Amino acid sequence: MTESGLTRLVECVPNVSEGRRPEVVDEIVAAFAVPGVLVLDRSSDPDHHRTVITLMGLGPALVEAAVAGARACARLIDLNHHRGVHPRMGALDVLPFIPFGAETRLRGGDDPDLDCAALAERAGRRIAAEVGVPVYLYGAVARHPGWTALPEVRGRGFEALRAALAARAADQDPPDPPGPDFGGPGLHPTAGATAAGAREVLIAYNVELADADLALARKIASAVRERDGGLPAVRAMGVPLAGRGLVQVSMNLLDWRATPPAAAYAAVAALAGENGARVEASEIVGLAPAGALDGVDPADLRLRGFAPDMLLESRLLRALTTCEETR
C-alpha cells in the first residue's frame, strides 16, 4: 500500500457473539477478510462468549467486509442458544468504524469514503437489506437522542429488546424503544440486531481479581465508571469468569488520554486491596494505540501475554510488511 493509501485507512472492530467454537470464529473471520481488508487481530473469550476482530482497510472495502461478516454471523450464530456474561443484542453485535488515517474523520467532509459516520450508514443499510438483520445507529451517526452511547442502544440485550419491540408493535401509541434505523420493525429471529456506529478509538481493558466475589467486582466497577462519579471516560461492569474461578472488572476506556490503562489499573487495584482482594492479571482485548502504554512497564499492570505487536501501529506495520513480501 502506498504512503498516500495509509492516510486513507479506516479501522473497524466488529464484536461477534461467539467465543467458544473456534471453528465458527475461523469461518466468521474469513468472511470479513475480503480483498482490500487486513485482519489485524482476533480475540475470543469463552466466559464473555464473544470475539473482537480488528480490521483495517479503505472505506469501501470495509463496507463489503461488514456485509459479508454479518451474513456469516447470521448463518452461524443463534442467540436463542447463546449465554455469556457480556451483554449482546446481535450475532454481529457491534460494528464501529473508527478514524485512523490522516485523511479520515469521524464525520463530515467531502469524501464519504473517508467519513466513518457515512461508512456506518452504508454498511447498516446494506446489512438490513441484504442480510435481513435490522441495524441501530449509534455514536457519531446516531439519529435518536441518547443513542450516542452504545449501552443505551443495546439496553438489556436480545431477549429484552425483542420483547419490548413486540410490545411496541402491538401498541397503537408505542412507548420506547424506537425501532431500528434500518430494517425491522422486529429483530431477526436468531441473529437479533446490529449496532453500527462511528466512534473514536477506545481500549477494552479488563482486570481480573482473586480473593473477590461478584459483589465486590460490581462495587469496584461502580466506583471507577464515570457515570457513577468515577474515572473520566470509563465504562465498567463486574462479571464472573466461571471458567477461571475469578471475577473481573471489565472496562471500556473511551478516551485513553483521559484515563489510560495504567490509571484504570491503579484505581481497581487500590479498591481491591482495600477490600482484601488482589489483582490476578489484566488484559487488553484486541489492540491498543501505542501511546496508551507509552512509558508503562506491562509487568506493572500484570498484563497477560503482552507483546509489542499488541500495539495497533506495530500490528499494522507487520501486516503491511507481510503483504509486500507475498506479492
Side-chain angles (χ1 to χ4, degrees):
M1 182 173 288
T2 65
E3 185 174 342
S4 61
L6 290 175
T7 68
R8 299 172 65 87
L9 286 177
V10 177
E11 184 184 2
C12 183
V13 186
N15 286 222
V16 173
S17 296
E18 175 56 63
R20 297 174 185 168
R21 298 178 293 170
E23 71 284 0
V24 172
V25 175
D26 287 344
E27 192 168 345
I28 290 169
V29 171
F32 278 108
V34 305
V37 168
L38 296 171
V39 179
L40 298 186
D41 188 69
R42 54 186 278 185
S43 179
S44 298
D45 186 280
D47 289 303
H48 285 252
H49 205 353
R50 192 171 184 86
T51 295
V52 176
I53 305 165
T54 304
L55 310 175
M56 192 77 74
L58 303 179
L62 286 175
V63 172
E64 296 299 329
V67 177
R71 186 176 288 113
C73 289
R75 177 169 53 85
L76 295 167
I77 298 171
D78 184 347
L79 289 186
N80 297 290
H81 303 290
H82 178 281
R83 298 292 182 273
V85 299
H86 199 289
R88 82 287 183 268
M89 70 181 205
L92 171 55
D93 191 47
V94 188
L95 183 71
F97 291 80
I98 303 153
F100 181 82
E103 296 181 45
T104 59
R105 55 191 55 83
L106 193 61
R107 70 174 307 133
D110 298 327
D111 188 342
D113 289 346
L114 305 177
D115 179 338
C116 290
L119 294 171
E121 283 210 6
R122 281 157 56 187
R125 193 181 301 275
R126 287 188 55 189
I127 288 168
E130 299 174 31
V131 186
V133 173
V135 172
Y136 292 79
L137 298 175
Y138 82 99
V141 73
R143 295 179 176 181
H144 297 283
W147 282 10
T148 55
L150 177 61
E152 297 303 316
V153 178
R154 185 191 283 133
R156 290 183 291 120
F158 171 66
E159 292 82 3
L161 183 58
R162 178 175 58 189
L165 288 175
R168 182 179 186 273
D171 194 332
Q172 302 214 346
D173 184 18
D176 285 339
D181 292 288
F182 302 121
L187 301 185
H188 186 285
T190 59
T194 294
R199 61 161 173 80
E200 299 290 356
V201 66
L202 66 75
I203 299 174
Y205 181 60
N206 302 327
V207 179
E208 297 171 4
L209 304 178
D211 306 319
D213 59 15
L214 182 57
L216 178 58
R218 288 174 171 167
K219 176 182 175 182
I220 293 174
S222 177
V224 300
R225 63 177 167 244
E226 182 179 42
R227 187 186 71 195
D228 295 335
L231 300 172
V234 172
R235 292 184 188 140
M237 61 182 180
V239 298
L241 301 179
R244 283 165 266 184
L246 301 168
V247 295
Q248 181 185 82
V249 180
S250 178
M251 293 174 281
N252 279 343
L253 310 182
L254 306 181
D255 180 351
W256 58 265
R257 294 175 178 86
T259 301
Y265 177 91
V268 172
L271 290 164
E274 290 170 9
N275 289 274
R278 60 183 175 83
V279 172
E280 177 74 16
S282 75
E283 64 175 358
I284 291 172
V285 181
L287 304 175
L293 293 176
D294 199 23
V296 175
D297 184 346
D300 291 340
L301 306 186
R302 302 184 65 86
L303 200 54
R304 179 186 294 111
F306 178 79
D309 75 348
M310 287 177 62
L311 302 176
L312 178 60
E313 297 87 346
S314 299
R315 188 69 62 87
L316 175 60
L317 178 60
R318 188 180 79 176
L320 291 171
T321 302
T322 301
C323 286
E324 290 296 324
E325 291 174 348
T326 56
R327 284 183 177 177

